[in-house]
Amino acid sequence: MKTKAACGPQRDPEFFEEIDKVFAKYPAAAGRYAVSCLRLETVVLKIDFERQVGV
C-alpha cells in the first residue's frame, strides 16, 4: 500500500515545479526564502496560527 507524503514535492508536485521556476528566475531572492511544511506545527504541536504566533 502506498501512502501519499504529508507534504513536499511528492505531495504537491505542480506547486513545487512552479516554485522551482520562480527561484530559478530570481536566484538572489531565492537565497533569502525557504518553503516549509507546517504539518509539524499544526498537527503534531497543535499550534493554531489563527490565534497563536509561531516563532
Side-chain angles (χ1 to χ4, degrees):
M1 179 172 109
K2 285 192 168 193
T3 59
K4 201 167 197 176
C7 51
Q10 295 79 19
R11 175 70 184 243
D12 300 302
E14 296 86 10
F15 172 78
F16 280 91
E17 287 173 15
E18 294 301 316
I19 292 295
D20 285 343
K21 290 176 190 175
V22 171
F23 280 179
K25 186 174 181 179
Y26 303 100
R32 294 189 298 266
Y33 299 94
V35 176
S36 177
C37 177
L38 294 176
R39 184 177 186 281
L40 174 64
E41 289 86 352
T42 58
V43 175
V44 177
L45 298 176
K46 308 282 189 228
I47 296 172
D48 179 359
F49 287 110
E50 296 285 327
R51 58 181 192 83
Q52 294 172 291
V53 177
V55 179

mmCIF file of all heavy atoms in Angstrom:
data_model
loop_
_atom_site.group_PDB
_atom_site.id
_atom_site.type_symbol
_atom_site.label_atom_id
_atom_site.label_comp_id
_atom_site.label_asym_id
_atom_site.label_seq_id
_atom_site.Cartn_x
_atom_site.Cartn_y
_atom_site.Cartn_z
ATOM 1 N N MET A 1 0.837 -1.181 0.000
ATOM 2 C CA MET A 1 0.000 0.000 0.000
ATOM 3 C C MET A 1 0.880 1.241 0.000
ATOM 4 O O MET A 1 1.785 1.374 0.806
ATOM 5 C CB MET A 1 -0.888 -0.020 1.236
ATOM 6 C CG MET A 1 -1.784 1.195 1.348
ATOM 7 S SD MET A 1 -2.964 0.989 2.687
ATOM 8 C CE MET A 1 -2.318 2.144 3.851
ATOM 9 N N LYS A 2 0.616 2.142 -0.916
ATOM 10 C CA LYS A 2 1.364 3.388 -0.979
ATOM 11 C C LYS A 2 0.545 4.501 -0.345
ATOM 12 O O LYS A 2 -0.634 4.655 -0.641
ATOM 13 C CB LYS A 2 1.689 3.759 -2.415
ATOM 14 C CG LYS A 2 2.783 2.941 -3.024
ATOM 15 C CD LYS A 2 3.216 3.573 -4.309
ATOM 16 C CE LYS A 2 4.494 2.940 -4.764
ATOM 17 N NZ LYS A 2 5.125 3.684 -5.818
ATOM 18 N N THR A 3 1.175 5.266 0.524
ATOM 19 C CA THR A 3 0.501 6.421 1.112
ATOM 20 C C THR A 3 1.151 7.684 0.579
ATOM 21 O O THR A 3 2.353 7.710 0.288
ATOM 22 C CB THR A 3 0.592 6.399 2.648
ATOM 23 O OG1 THR A 3 1.970 6.389 3.025
ATOM 24 C CG2 THR A 3 -0.088 5.174 3.227
ATOM 25 N N LYS A 4 0.364 8.722 0.437
ATOM 26 C CA LYS A 4 0.856 9.991 -0.069
ATOM 27 C C LYS A 4 1.644 10.710 1.013
ATOM 28 O O LYS A 4 1.280 10.666 2.192
ATOM 29 C CB LYS A 4 -0.333 10.847 -0.523
ATOM 30 C CG LYS A 4 0.040 11.926 -1.491
ATOM 31 C CD LYS A 4 -1.184 12.516 -2.138
ATOM 32 C CE LYS A 4 -0.752 13.264 -3.375
ATOM 33 N NZ LYS A 4 -1.837 13.783 -4.124
ATOM 34 N N ALA A 5 2.723 11.354 0.642
ATOM 35 C CA ALA A 5 3.545 12.093 1.595
ATOM 36 C C ALA A 5 2.714 13.175 2.276
ATOM 37 O O ALA A 5 1.756 13.700 1.713
ATOM 38 C CB ALA A 5 4.723 12.728 0.865
ATOM 39 N N ALA A 6 3.081 13.494 3.512
ATOM 40 C CA ALA A 6 2.356 14.514 4.280
ATOM 41 C C ALA A 6 2.498 15.880 3.635
ATOM 42 O O ALA A 6 1.563 16.671 3.626
ATOM 43 C CB ALA A 6 2.864 14.549 5.714
ATOM 44 N N CYS A 7 3.670 16.167 3.097
ATOM 45 C CA CYS A 7 3.897 17.442 2.410
ATOM 46 C C CYS A 7 5.193 17.330 1.611
ATOM 47 O O CYS A 7 5.920 16.365 1.738
ATOM 48 C CB CYS A 7 3.955 18.595 3.407
ATOM 49 S SG CYS A 7 5.081 18.355 4.769
ATOM 50 N N GLY A 8 5.432 18.305 0.783
ATOM 51 C CA GLY A 8 6.643 18.320 -0.021
ATOM 52 C C GLY A 8 6.365 18.039 -1.483
ATOM 53 O O GLY A 8 5.206 17.955 -1.915
ATOM 54 N N PRO A 9 7.418 17.910 -2.279
ATOM 55 C CA PRO A 9 7.272 17.707 -3.721
ATOM 56 C C PRO A 9 6.494 16.451 -4.108
ATOM 57 O O PRO A 9 5.855 16.421 -5.150
ATOM 58 C CB PRO A 9 8.716 17.617 -4.216
ATOM 59 C CG PRO A 9 9.529 18.285 -3.178
ATOM 60 C CD PRO A 9 8.818 18.062 -1.879
ATOM 61 N N GLN A 10 6.546 15.413 -3.282
ATOM 62 C CA GLN A 10 5.792 14.204 -3.606
ATOM 63 C C GLN A 10 4.294 14.435 -3.435
ATOM 64 O O GLN A 10 3.480 13.834 -4.125
ATOM 65 C CB GLN A 10 6.226 13.032 -2.712
ATOM 66 C CG GLN A 10 7.651 12.584 -2.915
ATOM 67 C CD GLN A 10 8.661 13.486 -2.208
ATOM 68 O OE1 GLN A 10 8.314 14.225 -1.290
ATOM 69 N NE2 GLN A 10 9.892 13.439 -2.649
ATOM 70 N N ARG A 11 3.924 15.307 -2.525
ATOM 71 C CA ARG A 11 2.514 15.584 -2.246
ATOM 72 C C ARG A 11 1.926 16.599 -3.229
ATOM 73 O O ARG A 11 0.811 16.461 -3.689
ATOM 74 C CB ARG A 11 2.377 16.097 -0.804
ATOM 75 C CG ARG A 11 1.002 16.543 -0.380
ATOM 76 C CD ARG A 11 0.067 15.341 -0.265
ATOM 77 N NE ARG A 11 -1.284 15.738 0.057
ATOM 78 C CZ ARG A 11 -1.902 15.398 1.163
ATOM 79 N NH1 ARG A 11 -1.293 14.680 2.074
ATOM 80 N NH2 ARG A 11 -3.136 15.776 1.349
ATOM 81 N N ASP A 12 2.689 17.640 -3.519
ATOM 82 C CA ASP A 12 2.211 18.742 -4.365
ATOM 83 C C ASP A 12 3.222 19.058 -5.472
ATOM 84 O O ASP A 12 3.844 20.128 -5.486
ATOM 85 C CB ASP A 12 1.984 19.991 -3.499
ATOM 86 C CG ASP A 12 0.954 19.759 -2.413
ATOM 87 O OD1 ASP A 12 -0.178 19.400 -2.759
ATOM 88 O OD2 ASP A 12 1.288 19.931 -1.226
ATOM 89 N N PRO A 13 3.415 18.136 -6.411
ATOM 90 C CA PRO A 13 4.460 18.329 -7.426
ATOM 91 C C PRO A 13 4.269 19.573 -8.290
ATOM 92 O O PRO A 13 5.253 20.252 -8.616
ATOM 93 C CB PRO A 13 4.400 17.052 -8.260
ATOM 94 C CG PRO A 13 3.074 16.440 -7.975
ATOM 95 C CD PRO A 13 2.690 16.886 -6.600
ATOM 96 N N GLU A 14 3.030 19.899 -8.659
ATOM 97 C CA GLU A 14 2.805 21.068 -9.510
ATOM 98 C C GLU A 14 3.205 22.356 -8.791
ATOM 99 O O GLU A 14 3.814 23.248 -9.380
ATOM 100 C CB GLU A 14 1.333 21.160 -9.941
ATOM 101 C CG GLU A 14 0.872 20.004 -10.800
ATOM 102 C CD GLU A 14 0.401 18.800 -9.988
ATOM 103 O OE1 GLU A 14 0.249 18.912 -8.742
ATOM 104 O OE2 GLU A 14 0.198 17.729 -10.587
ATOM 105 N N PHE A 15 2.872 22.457 -7.522
ATOM 106 C CA PHE A 15 3.241 23.632 -6.726
ATOM 107 C C PHE A 15 4.761 23.794 -6.698
ATOM 108 O O PHE A 15 5.293 24.872 -6.936
ATOM 109 C CB PHE A 15 2.686 23.490 -5.299
ATOM 110 C CG PHE A 15 3.173 24.539 -4.352
ATOM 111 C CD1 PHE A 15 2.634 25.817 -4.375
ATOM 112 C CD2 PHE A 15 4.170 24.254 -3.435
ATOM 113 C CE1 PHE A 15 3.084 26.796 -3.497
ATOM 114 C CE2 PHE A 15 4.629 25.217 -2.555
ATOM 115 C CZ PHE A 15 4.086 26.497 -2.585
ATOM 116 N N PHE A 16 5.474 22.697 -6.423
ATOM 117 C CA PHE A 16 6.925 22.780 -6.315
ATOM 118 C C PHE A 16 7.594 23.024 -7.660
ATOM 119 O O PHE A 16 8.652 23.658 -7.720
ATOM 120 C CB PHE A 16 7.484 21.542 -5.604
ATOM 121 C CG PHE A 16 7.342 21.640 -4.116
ATOM 122 C CD1 PHE A 16 6.213 21.152 -3.483
ATOM 123 C CD2 PHE A 16 8.314 22.253 -3.346
ATOM 124 C CE1 PHE A 16 6.068 21.261 -2.109
ATOM 125 C CE2 PHE A 16 8.181 22.374 -1.972
ATOM 126 C CZ PHE A 16 7.054 21.881 -1.352
ATOM 127 N N GLU A 17 7.000 22.564 -8.747
ATOM 128 C CA GLU A 17 7.533 22.884 -10.079
ATOM 129 C C GLU A 17 7.482 24.387 -10.310
ATOM 130 O O GLU A 17 8.439 24.976 -10.828
ATOM 131 C CB GLU A 17 6.725 22.161 -11.153
ATOM 132 C CG GLU A 17 6.996 20.678 -11.222
ATOM 133 C CD GLU A 17 6.058 19.960 -12.186
ATOM 134 O OE1 GLU A 17 5.391 20.619 -13.015
ATOM 135 O OE2 GLU A 17 5.987 18.720 -12.107
ATOM 136 N N GLU A 18 6.382 25.012 -9.930
ATOM 137 C CA GLU A 18 6.250 26.469 -10.099
ATOM 138 C C GLU A 18 7.196 27.225 -9.172
ATOM 139 O O GLU A 18 7.790 28.225 -9.568
ATOM 140 C CB GLU A 18 4.805 26.908 -9.865
ATOM 141 C CG GLU A 18 3.836 26.386 -10.913
ATOM 142 C CD GLU A 18 4.193 26.828 -12.328
ATOM 143 O OE1 GLU A 18 4.527 28.015 -12.535
ATOM 144 O OE2 GLU A 18 4.133 25.969 -13.233
ATOM 145 N N ILE A 19 7.341 26.749 -7.943
ATOM 146 C CA ILE A 19 8.287 27.379 -7.005
ATOM 147 C C ILE A 19 9.704 27.286 -7.562
ATOM 148 O O ILE A 19 10.477 28.251 -7.498
ATOM 149 C CB ILE A 19 8.199 26.722 -5.607
ATOM 150 C CG1 ILE A 19 6.859 27.029 -4.955
ATOM 151 C CG2 ILE A 19 9.360 27.159 -4.714
ATOM 152 C CD1 ILE A 19 6.619 28.484 -4.642
ATOM 153 N N ASP A 20 10.075 26.140 -8.125
ATOM 154 C CA ASP A 20 11.402 25.975 -8.732
ATOM 155 C C ASP A 20 11.622 26.999 -9.841
ATOM 156 O O ASP A 20 12.706 27.575 -9.961
ATOM 157 C CB ASP A 20 11.577 24.569 -9.290
ATOM 158 C CG ASP A 20 11.814 23.527 -8.211
ATOM 159 O OD1 ASP A 20 12.156 23.904 -7.066
ATOM 160 O OD2 ASP A 20 11.648 22.327 -8.513
ATOM 161 N N LYS A 21 10.599 27.233 -10.653
ATOM 162 C CA LYS A 21 10.705 28.212 -11.735
ATOM 163 C C LYS A 21 10.923 29.617 -11.192
ATOM 164 O O LYS A 21 11.739 30.380 -11.708
ATOM 165 C CB LYS A 21 9.448 28.181 -12.610
ATOM 166 C CG LYS A 21 9.315 26.931 -13.443
ATOM 167 C CD LYS A 21 8.007 26.938 -14.207
ATOM 168 C CE LYS A 21 7.719 25.613 -14.872
ATOM 169 N NZ LYS A 21 6.395 25.588 -15.513
ATOM 170 N N VAL A 22 10.188 29.970 -10.147
ATOM 171 C CA VAL A 22 10.331 31.309 -9.546
ATOM 172 C C VAL A 22 11.720 31.461 -8.933
ATOM 173 O O VAL A 22 12.383 32.484 -9.118
ATOM 174 C CB VAL A 22 9.233 31.557 -8.492
ATOM 175 C CG1 VAL A 22 9.495 32.837 -7.712
ATOM 176 C CG2 VAL A 22 7.870 31.612 -9.156
ATOM 177 N N PHE A 23 12.189 30.445 -8.206
ATOM 178 C CA PHE A 23 13.522 30.519 -7.609
ATOM 179 C C PHE A 23 14.600 30.610 -8.691
ATOM 180 O O PHE A 23 15.598 31.305 -8.511
ATOM 181 C CB PHE A 23 13.770 29.317 -6.707
ATOM 182 C CG PHE A 23 13.139 29.421 -5.337
ATOM 183 C CD1 PHE A 23 13.270 28.379 -4.440
ATOM 184 C CD2 PHE A 23 12.426 30.539 -4.935
ATOM 185 C CE1 PHE A 23 12.706 28.456 -3.168
ATOM 186 C CE2 PHE A 23 11.854 30.623 -3.674
ATOM 187 C CZ PHE A 23 12.004 29.586 -2.785
ATOM 188 N N ALA A 24 14.409 29.924 -9.817
ATOM 189 C CA ALA A 24 15.372 30.000 -10.921
ATOM 190 C C ALA A 24 15.354 31.382 -11.562
ATOM 191 O O ALA A 24 16.399 31.907 -11.962
ATOM 192 C CB ALA A 24 15.066 28.928 -11.961
ATOM 193 N N LYS A 25 14.194 32.006 -11.628
ATOM 194 C CA LYS A 25 14.057 33.330 -12.239
ATOM 195 C C LYS A 25 14.667 34.417 -11.361
ATOM 196 O O LYS A 25 15.188 35.411 -11.861
ATOM 197 C CB LYS A 25 12.575 33.626 -12.492
ATOM 198 C CG LYS A 25 12.335 34.904 -13.256
ATOM 199 C CD LYS A 25 10.866 35.064 -13.599
ATOM 200 C CE LYS A 25 10.626 36.337 -14.377
ATOM 201 N NZ LYS A 25 9.206 36.492 -14.737
ATOM 202 N N TYR A 26 14.603 34.227 -10.045
ATOM 203 C CA TYR A 26 15.105 35.219 -9.094
ATOM 204 C C TYR A 26 16.105 34.569 -8.134
ATOM 205 O O TYR A 26 15.825 34.418 -6.944
ATOM 206 C CB TYR A 26 13.944 35.833 -8.303
ATOM 207 C CG TYR A 26 12.900 36.473 -9.170
ATOM 208 C CD1 TYR A 26 11.717 35.811 -9.479
ATOM 209 C CD2 TYR A 26 13.102 37.746 -9.710
ATOM 210 C CE1 TYR A 26 10.763 36.399 -10.284
ATOM 211 C CE2 TYR A 26 12.155 38.337 -10.522
ATOM 212 C CZ TYR A 26 10.985 37.661 -10.806
ATOM 213 O OH TYR A 26 10.035 38.247 -11.611
ATOM 214 N N PRO A 27 17.289 34.182 -8.624
ATOM 215 C CA PRO A 27 18.230 33.438 -7.776
ATOM 216 C C PRO A 27 18.707 34.213 -6.546
ATOM 217 O O PRO A 27 18.918 33.617 -5.487
ATOM 218 C CB PRO A 27 19.386 33.107 -8.714
ATOM 219 C CG PRO A 27 19.251 34.033 -9.860
ATOM 220 C CD PRO A 27 17.804 34.394 -9.967
ATOM 221 N N ALA A 28 18.876 35.511 -6.654
ATOM 222 C CA ALA A 28 19.324 36.296 -5.495
ATOM 223 C C ALA A 28 18.267 36.279 -4.396
ATOM 224 O O ALA A 28 18.582 36.101 -3.216
ATOM 225 C CB ALA A 28 19.638 37.725 -5.907
ATOM 226 N N ALA A 29 17.019 36.438 -4.769
ATOM 227 C CA ALA A 29 15.929 36.412 -3.789
ATOM 228 C C ALA A 29 15.716 35.002 -3.259
ATOM 229 O O ALA A 29 15.361 34.827 -2.089
ATOM 230 C CB ALA A 29 14.643 36.942 -4.408
ATOM 231 N N ALA A 30 15.944 33.996 -4.079
ATOM 232 C CA ALA A 30 15.719 32.615 -3.655
ATOM 233 C C ALA A 30 16.569 32.250 -2.447
ATOM 234 O O ALA A 30 16.150 31.458 -1.610
ATOM 235 C CB ALA A 30 16.013 31.655 -4.813
ATOM 236 N N GLY A 31 17.735 32.867 -2.323
ATOM 237 C CA GLY A 31 18.601 32.600 -1.185
ATOM 238 C C GLY A 31 18.085 33.163 0.123
ATOM 239 O O GLY A 31 18.591 32.828 1.192
ATOM 240 N N ARG A 32 17.084 34.024 0.047
ATOM 241 C CA ARG A 32 16.523 34.634 1.254
ATOM 242 C C ARG A 32 15.251 33.948 1.735
ATOM 243 O O ARG A 32 14.731 34.293 2.791
ATOM 244 C CB ARG A 32 16.219 36.109 0.984
ATOM 245 C CG ARG A 32 17.457 36.956 0.744
ATOM 246 C CD ARG A 32 17.130 38.434 0.702
ATOM 247 N NE ARG A 32 16.242 38.808 -0.366
ATOM 248 C CZ ARG A 32 16.623 39.246 -1.565
ATOM 249 N NH1 ARG A 32 17.904 39.328 -1.853
ATOM 250 N NH2 ARG A 32 15.728 39.575 -2.466
ATOM 251 N N TYR A 33 14.736 32.983 0.982
ATOM 252 C CA TYR A 33 13.448 32.374 1.310
ATOM 253 C C TYR A 33 13.537 30.853 1.321
ATOM 254 O O TYR A 33 14.410 30.271 0.691
ATOM 255 C CB TYR A 33 12.373 32.826 0.317
ATOM 256 C CG TYR A 33 12.173 34.314 0.334
ATOM 257 C CD1 TYR A 33 12.858 35.130 -0.558
ATOM 258 C CD2 TYR A 33 11.333 34.899 1.267
ATOM 259 C CE1 TYR A 33 12.695 36.505 -0.520
ATOM 260 C CE2 TYR A 33 11.172 36.272 1.304
ATOM 261 C CZ TYR A 33 11.857 37.069 0.412
ATOM 262 O OH TYR A 33 11.693 38.419 0.458
ATOM 263 N N ALA A 34 12.605 30.238 2.016
ATOM 264 C CA ALA A 34 12.506 28.782 2.066
ATOM 265 C C ALA A 34 11.032 28.400 2.125
ATOM 266 O O ALA A 34 10.201 29.157 2.632
ATOM 267 C CB ALA A 34 13.221 28.236 3.289
ATOM 268 N N VAL A 35 10.718 27.225 1.618
ATOM 269 C CA VAL A 35 9.364 26.693 1.702
ATOM 270 C C VAL A 35 9.369 25.676 2.837
ATOM 271 O O VAL A 35 10.242 24.822 2.907
ATOM 272 C CB VAL A 35 8.948 26.013 0.374
ATOM 273 C CG1 VAL A 35 7.587 25.377 0.510
ATOM 274 C CG2 VAL A 35 8.976 27.024 -0.753
ATOM 275 N N SER A 36 8.400 25.781 3.712
ATOM 276 C CA SER A 36 8.353 24.904 4.879
ATOM 277 C C SER A 36 6.982 24.255 5.005
ATOM 278 O O SER A 36 5.965 24.871 4.715
ATOM 279 C CB SER A 36 8.646 25.723 6.134
ATOM 280 O OG SER A 36 8.550 24.932 7.283
ATOM 281 N N CYS A 37 6.978 23.022 5.457
ATOM 282 C CA CYS A 37 5.734 22.312 5.723
ATOM 283 C C CYS A 37 5.296 22.632 7.149
ATOM 284 O O CYS A 37 6.080 22.503 8.090
ATOM 285 C CB CYS A 37 5.952 20.816 5.562
ATOM 286 S SG CYS A 37 4.493 19.839 5.940
ATOM 287 N N LEU A 38 4.070 23.051 7.311
ATOM 288 C CA LEU A 38 3.568 23.413 8.633
ATOM 289 C C LEU A 38 2.943 22.242 9.383
ATOM 290 O O LEU A 38 2.399 22.420 10.464
ATOM 291 C CB LEU A 38 2.542 24.539 8.505
ATOM 292 C CG LEU A 38 3.099 25.869 8.010
ATOM 293 C CD1 LEU A 38 1.980 26.872 7.836
ATOM 294 C CD2 LEU A 38 4.146 26.389 8.963
ATOM 295 N N ARG A 39 3.034 21.043 8.838
ATOM 296 C CA ARG A 39 2.402 19.882 9.454
ATOM 297 C C ARG A 39 2.868 19.673 10.897
ATOM 298 O O ARG A 39 2.066 19.404 11.784
ATOM 299 C CB ARG A 39 2.663 18.626 8.634
ATOM 300 C CG ARG A 39 1.944 17.411 9.173
ATOM 301 C CD ARG A 39 2.173 16.193 8.274
ATOM 302 N NE ARG A 39 1.382 15.084 8.725
ATOM 303 C CZ ARG A 39 1.700 14.296 9.750
ATOM 304 N NH1 ARG A 39 2.796 14.518 10.415
ATOM 305 N NH2 ARG A 39 0.915 13.301 10.102
ATOM 306 N N LEU A 40 4.159 19.804 11.141
ATOM 307 C CA LEU A 40 4.676 19.611 12.498
ATOM 308 C C LEU A 40 4.004 20.578 13.468
ATOM 309 O O LEU A 40 3.544 20.182 14.531
ATOM 310 C CB LEU A 40 6.191 19.801 12.544
ATOM 311 C CG LEU A 40 6.822 19.759 13.933
ATOM 312 C CD1 LEU A 40 6.648 18.382 14.560
ATOM 313 C CD2 LEU A 40 8.282 20.127 13.877
ATOM 314 N N GLU A 41 3.932 21.841 13.076
ATOM 315 C CA GLU A 41 3.350 22.842 13.961
ATOM 316 C C GLU A 41 1.842 22.673 14.135
ATOM 317 O O GLU A 41 1.327 22.782 15.234
ATOM 318 C CB GLU A 41 3.650 24.257 13.443
ATOM 319 C CG GLU A 41 5.095 24.660 13.593
ATOM 320 C CD GLU A 41 5.962 24.217 12.435
ATOM 321 O OE1 GLU A 41 5.484 23.453 11.569
ATOM 322 O OE2 GLU A 41 7.128 24.613 12.394
ATOM 323 N N THR A 42 1.142 22.415 13.046
ATOM 324 C CA THR A 42 -0.323 22.382 13.124
ATOM 325 C C THR A 42 -0.885 21.041 13.566
ATOM 326 O O THR A 42 -1.868 21.005 14.302
ATOM 327 C CB THR A 42 -0.938 22.761 11.763
ATOM 328 O OG1 THR A 42 -0.459 21.871 10.763
ATOM 329 C CG2 THR A 42 -0.606 24.192 11.389
ATOM 330 N N VAL A 43 -0.275 19.931 13.166
ATOM 331 C CA VAL A 43 -0.811 18.612 13.500
ATOM 332 C C VAL A 43 -0.162 18.057 14.764
ATOM 333 O O VAL A 43 -0.855 17.623 15.678
ATOM 334 C CB VAL A 43 -0.626 17.628 12.321
ATOM 335 C CG1 VAL A 43 -1.056 16.230 12.704
ATOM 336 C CG2 VAL A 43 -1.403 18.116 11.110
ATOM 337 N N VAL A 44 1.150 18.095 14.820
ATOM 338 C CA VAL A 44 1.850 17.476 15.941
ATOM 339 C C VAL A 44 1.816 18.371 17.181
ATOM 340 O O VAL A 44 1.453 17.932 18.267
ATOM 341 C CB VAL A 44 3.304 17.134 15.552
ATOM 342 C CG1 VAL A 44 4.061 16.553 16.732
ATOM 343 C CG2 VAL A 44 3.323 16.161 14.370
ATOM 344 N N LEU A 45 2.180 19.648 17.017
ATOM 345 C CA LEU A 45 2.238 20.559 18.164
ATOM 346 C C LEU A 45 0.915 21.265 18.443
ATOM 347 O O LEU A 45 0.787 21.964 19.439
ATOM 348 C CB LEU A 45 3.347 21.595 17.957
ATOM 349 C CG LEU A 45 4.754 21.027 17.847
ATOM 350 C CD1 LEU A 45 5.752 22.143 17.557
ATOM 351 C CD2 LEU A 45 5.141 20.277 19.106
ATOM 352 N N LYS A 46 -0.045 21.117 17.531
ATOM 353 C CA LYS A 46 -1.393 21.692 17.703
ATOM 354 C C LYS A 46 -1.382 23.215 17.829
ATOM 355 O O LYS A 46 -2.150 23.794 18.586
ATOM 356 C CB LYS A 46 -2.097 21.088 18.920
ATOM 357 C CG LYS A 46 -2.119 19.584 18.959
ATOM 358 C CD LYS A 46 -3.151 19.023 18.033
ATOM 359 C CE LYS A 46 -3.290 17.525 18.281
ATOM 360 N NZ LYS A 46 -3.259 16.726 17.118
ATOM 361 N N ILE A 47 -0.515 23.891 17.065
ATOM 362 C CA ILE A 47 -0.488 25.348 17.057
ATOM 363 C C ILE A 47 -1.593 25.836 16.132
ATOM 364 O O ILE A 47 -1.714 25.397 14.996
ATOM 365 C CB ILE A 47 0.872 25.883 16.589
ATOM 366 C CG1 ILE A 47 1.957 25.472 17.581
ATOM 367 C CG2 ILE A 47 0.830 27.394 16.420
ATOM 368 C CD1 ILE A 47 3.363 25.780 17.131
ATOM 369 N N ASP A 48 -2.405 26.738 16.623
ATOM 370 C CA ASP A 48 -3.476 27.340 15.835
ATOM 371 C C ASP A 48 -3.014 28.734 15.433
ATOM 372 O O ASP A 48 -3.050 29.671 16.224
ATOM 373 C CB ASP A 48 -4.763 27.424 16.670
ATOM 374 C CG ASP A 48 -5.910 28.060 15.922
ATOM 375 O OD1 ASP A 48 -5.730 28.472 14.757
ATOM 376 O OD2 ASP A 48 -6.993 28.165 16.520
ATOM 377 N N PHE A 49 -2.550 28.879 14.184
ATOM 378 C CA PHE A 49 -1.999 30.155 13.736
ATOM 379 C C PHE A 49 -3.052 31.250 13.608
ATOM 380 O O PHE A 49 -2.719 32.404 13.398
ATOM 381 C CB PHE A 49 -1.232 29.971 12.424
ATOM 382 C CG PHE A 49 0.082 29.257 12.616
ATOM 383 C CD1 PHE A 49 0.259 27.969 12.153
ATOM 384 C CD2 PHE A 49 1.127 29.868 13.272
ATOM 385 C CE1 PHE A 49 1.461 27.300 12.336
ATOM 386 C CE2 PHE A 49 2.334 29.218 13.467
ATOM 387 C CZ PHE A 49 2.513 27.928 12.994
ATOM 388 N N GLU A 50 -4.312 30.904 13.740
ATOM 389 C CA GLU A 50 -5.371 31.911 13.755
ATOM 390 C C GLU A 50 -5.345 32.707 15.068
ATOM 391 O O GLU A 50 -5.744 33.841 15.123
ATOM 392 C CB GLU A 50 -6.743 31.247 13.602
ATOM 393 C CG GLU A 50 -6.952 30.550 12.280
ATOM 394 C CD GLU A 50 -7.202 31.520 11.142
ATOM 395 O OE1 GLU A 50 -7.803 32.578 11.382
ATOM 396 O OE2 GLU A 50 -6.758 31.204 10.013
ATOM 397 N N ARG A 51 -4.839 32.070 16.123
ATOM 398 C CA ARG A 51 -4.841 32.752 17.418
ATOM 399 C C ARG A 51 -3.494 32.718 18.135
ATOM 400 O O ARG A 51 -3.326 33.312 19.184
ATOM 401 C CB ARG A 51 -5.913 32.156 18.337
ATOM 402 C CG ARG A 51 -5.770 30.687 18.607
ATOM 403 C CD ARG A 51 -6.896 30.151 19.514
ATOM 404 N NE ARG A 51 -6.589 28.819 19.979
ATOM 405 C CZ ARG A 51 -5.818 28.527 21.022
ATOM 406 N NH1 ARG A 51 -5.310 29.487 21.736
ATOM 407 N NH2 ARG A 51 -5.576 27.283 21.359
ATOM 408 N N GLN A 52 -2.496 32.029 17.581
ATOM 409 C CA GLN A 52 -1.178 31.928 18.184
ATOM 410 C C GLN A 52 -0.118 32.373 17.193
ATOM 411 O O GLN A 52 -0.346 32.379 15.984
ATOM 412 C CB GLN A 52 -0.871 30.486 18.608
ATOM 413 C CG GLN A 52 -1.768 29.977 19.728
ATOM 414 C CD GLN A 52 -1.557 28.500 19.964
ATOM 415 O OE1 GLN A 52 -1.914 27.687 19.136
ATOM 416 N NE2 GLN A 52 -0.995 28.166 21.106
ATOM 417 N N VAL A 53 1.054 32.696 17.696
ATOM 418 C CA VAL A 53 2.175 33.097 16.863
ATOM 419 C C VAL A 53 3.260 32.047 16.990
ATOM 420 O O VAL A 53 3.638 31.678 18.101
ATOM 421 C CB VAL A 53 2.732 34.479 17.298
ATOM 422 C CG1 VAL A 53 3.946 34.852 16.482
ATOM 423 C CG2 VAL A 53 1.645 35.540 17.176
ATOM 424 N N GLY A 54 3.752 31.558 15.868
ATOM 425 C CA GLY A 54 4.848 30.606 15.873
ATOM 426 C C GLY A 54 6.152 31.340 15.641
ATOM 427 O O GLY A 54 6.253 32.200 14.783
ATOM 428 N N VAL A 55 7.171 31.045 16.446
ATOM 429 C CA VAL A 55 8.464 31.703 16.308
ATOM 430 C C VAL A 55 9.520 30.649 16.061
ATOM 431 O O VAL A 55 9.555 29.646 16.704
ATOM 432 C CB VAL A 55 8.830 32.503 17.591
ATOM 433 C CG1 VAL A 55 10.171 33.163 17.443
ATOM 434 C CG2 VAL A 55 7.762 33.532 17.881
#
